[in-house]
Amino acid sequence: MILLQNLYKDYQVNGKLVPALRGIDLSIEKGEIFGVIGHSGAGKSTLIRCINLLERPTSGSVVVDGVDLTALEDRKLQEQRRQIGMIFQHFNLLSSATVAENVAFPLKLAKRPKAEIERKVSELLSLVGLEGHRNKYPAQLSGGQKQRVGIARALANDPKVLLCDEATSALDPQITNSILALLRDINRKLGITIVLITHEMHVIRSICDGVGVIDGGRIVESGKVVDVFLKPQHPTTREFVEQVADSVELRETVAHEKSSGDRIIVRITFLGEQTYRPILFQTMMETGTSFNILQGTISRMKDTPYGQLVVELDGDAQQVNSTIEALRLRGLDVEVI
């Protein structure tokens, strides 16, 4: 659906060339919710604005639904942009227009018939849960309601792609969760491909199928959220994973246990339905190995349940190795830490 190939973007700042993107290669599937996570200044906002060519890349190509946007003249590009909706961190609503008028704005620009505009506005306000607010002005709305208006407006032209530029970072946690749930619902109902950028791993874990980690203008790690979250490879990725994991406490616990003697400590990862099965207990009973749970969590990544336990194993080397092998044979990922 979206293919970025060898994408570079440079800016001229005080006569000097400043690179923002450095050879980005990224592929996003149709109907996927894909997140790009990175620190401030990493290049994520530039990247998402290059997808609809609000920022024109210095070199490389941007292909959306089989069309190379970088090869289009202005008129053709404008037509293709209608297939790409965008919502913003600070909403960007027209303050002097009502909710209904804000949603209708892109439809009026496209010169749609009045009856069609009215029908579409009502349909979209129902979709985002704002049926009773159509005649209000942005100043009368909460932050979450303003973002819902922004989402409805972005969907007005029935786009195939929805870009979200830090869409929840100006909202409190409870409202953030409601907006994420709305985006997830829109993805399921409409089959629309969603690309969002964020600096919060919670957002990625909640709704994304895939993720790319950007650092210094480069994608340093990418893949399915489950794989990247549970087995982060790059230091930047591990730093973001710590936002939603007790990694600091874990390091302190492991250091304390190691200082107490020669211990075998493992991280056991459960995925899917195995998360809810007594696999650990059954295996330990069979091998006769004693164990002590140092830390554990059970949660979900979008639709996938997962669990992680940090366990101290007590027994001779052969017994412990047999236990680890038995756990792996039952489909668990076991890492000696």
Side-chain angles (χ1 to χ4, degrees), residues 78-84 103-121 123-124 152-160:
Q78 199 165 18
E79 291 176 5
Q80 287 298 317
R81 278 200 184 119
R82 290 178 186 153
Q83 300 298 311
I84 307 173
V103 177
F105 184 68
L107 295 168
K108 290 179 178 177
L109 288 180
K111 300 185 180 348
R112 301 286 182 87
K114 186 174 181 179
E116 181 185 338
I117 292 175
E118 178 61 28
R119 176 188 60 78
K120 191 67 178 177
V121 168
E123 177 186 307
L124 289 169
R153 180 183 59 186
L155 296 174
N157 281 315
D158 298 315
K160 297 177 181 177

Side-chain angles (χ1 to χ4, degrees), residues 145-206:
Q145 289 170 335
K146 289 177 184 177
Q147 195 57 283
R148 287 172 182 267
V149 177
I151 292 170
R153 180 183 59 186
L155 296 174
N157 281 315
D158 298 315
K160 297 177 181 177
V161 174
L162 179 62
L163 306 180
C164 307
D165 187 359
E166 293 276 14
T168 61
S169 62
L171 306 174
D172 64 45
Q174 185 176 357
I175 301 301
T176 290
N177 289 337
S178 71
I179 294 297
L180 294 178
L182 175 60
L183 291 174
R184 184 174 169 177
D185 188 49
I186 287 169
N187 170 256
R188 286 176 169 168
K189 286 180 178 177
L190 306 181
I192 190 170
T193 304
I194 297 178
V195 183
L196 59 87
I197 65 169
T198 183
H199 59 273
E200 299 174 290
M201 197 65 188
H202 162 70
V203 172
I204 300 293
R205 188 180 70 170
S206 296

Side-chain angles (χ1 to χ4, degrees), residues 305-316:
Y306 76 95
Q308 282 193 325
L309 292 178
V310 176
V311 178
E312 177 190 350
L313 302 178
D314 186 17
D316 59 48

Side-chain angles (χ1 to χ4, degrees), residues 69-139:
L69 301 187
T70 52
L72 298 179
E73 59 183 27
D74 288 347
R75 184 177 62 83
K76 290 286 188 182
L77 177 59
Q78 199 165 18
E79 291 176 5
Q80 287 298 317
R81 278 200 184 119
R82 290 178 186 153
Q83 300 298 311
I84 307 173
M86 190 164 187
I87 58 176
F88 304 89
Q89 177 180 359
H90 297 297
F91 322 126
N92 289 15
L93 302 180
L94 301 170
S95 60
S96 59
T98 65
V99 166
E101 289 167 343
N102 267 281
V103 177
F105 184 68
L107 295 168
K108 290 179 178 177
L109 288 180
K111 300 185 180 348
R112 301 286 182 87
K114 186 174 181 179
E116 181 185 338
I117 292 175
E118 178 61 28
R119 176 188 60 78
K120 191 67 178 177
V121 168
S122 296
E123 177 186 307
L124 289 169
L125 291 179
S126 176
L127 179 67
V128 301
L130 291 178
E131 304 98 314
H133 299 271
R134 60 180 299 125
N135 295 319
K136 291 184 178 179
Y137 289 88

